[in-house]
Amino acid sequence: MALIVLRQKTRIDPQDLAGMIGQLLKEIIVEHQEASVCSSQEWNAAALNMQTKMRTDALVPSRNVADIAAMHVSKIFCSLPIHKRLHGHDELLLLNGLRLNLLQLQHEFSIRANCKALSELAKNHQMRSPDPDL
């Protein structure tokens, strides 16, 4: 969501934005490892994968923030401890809830984010995400 907003509000190369966001997310994930129920190997793999995922996201054209939820809702829904008597329309309710939350986050981020400072950080550091093929 942050990458989509920053791509729209700045003129910085999406790979530089993705590298900056990926690095920040990696640092956040590493910092919160102690609170995780995952094994340290899984947690470290997620942290390392974040930069590659951000690079991939920056390679494709920007999409609507509301569509992000649709890509992941089935996986999230399947992992929830839901009683078998509940019907499939509950997945649609989850999807709509996720979409609304993402749109609210986008709105707040668009207002509160210091896009100029983030652009400068991305431009100055050029923390491009690593090429997974190299």
Side-chain angles (χ1 to χ4, degrees):
M1 181 276 305
L3 178 61
I4 291 170
V5 172
L6 290 173
R7 284 174 82 166
Q8 294 169 350
K9 292 190 165 257
T10 68
R11 296 176 191 249
I12 303 299
D13 185 310
Q15 285 301 313
D16 289 338
L17 291 170
M20 176 197 60
I21 294 169
Q23 180 62 35
L24 293 172
L25 290 173
K26 180 182 174 185
E27 291 173 18
I28 291 168
I29 289 172
V30 168
E31 185 177 315
H32 289 87
Q33 183 174 358
E34 294 174 7
S36 172
V37 295
C38 297
S39 71
S40 62
Q41 292 165 334
E42 287 178 293
W43 199 256
N44 290 332
L48 292 173
N49 188 38
M50 189 56 62
Q51 290 179 300
T52 304
K53 181 172 178 356
M54 290 304 303
R55 174 183 167 74
T56 304
D57 288 345
L59 290 173
V60 298
S62 190
R63 58 183 171 262
N64 188 335
V65 171
D67 294 338
I68 296 172
M71 296 170 24
H72 302 287
V73 73
S74 292
K75 182 178 177 183
I76 295 169
F77 188 76
C78 289
S79 68
L80 293 175
I82 298 176
H83 196 278
K84 299 296 180 201
R85 290 187 297 165
L86 296 177
H87 299 290
H89 75 280
D90 293 321
E91 186 172 344
L92 183 59
L93 292 174
L94 177 64
L95 172 62
N96 288 333
L98 289 172
R99 280 184 171 160
L100 288 173
N101 285 325
L102 280 170
L103 289 169
Q104 181 65 33
L105 284 170
Q106 177 190 26
H107 178 70
E108 288 184 29
F109 184 77
S110 296
I111 293 169
R112 295 181 181 198
N114 186 338
C115 291
K116 185 176 179 180
L118 292 171
S119 297
E120 287 300 315
L121 181 66
K123 187 169 49 174
N124 290 340
H125 293 286
Q126 292 191 348
M127 296 179 279
R128 288 178 171 251
S129 298
D131 187 344
D133 296 330
L134 294 177

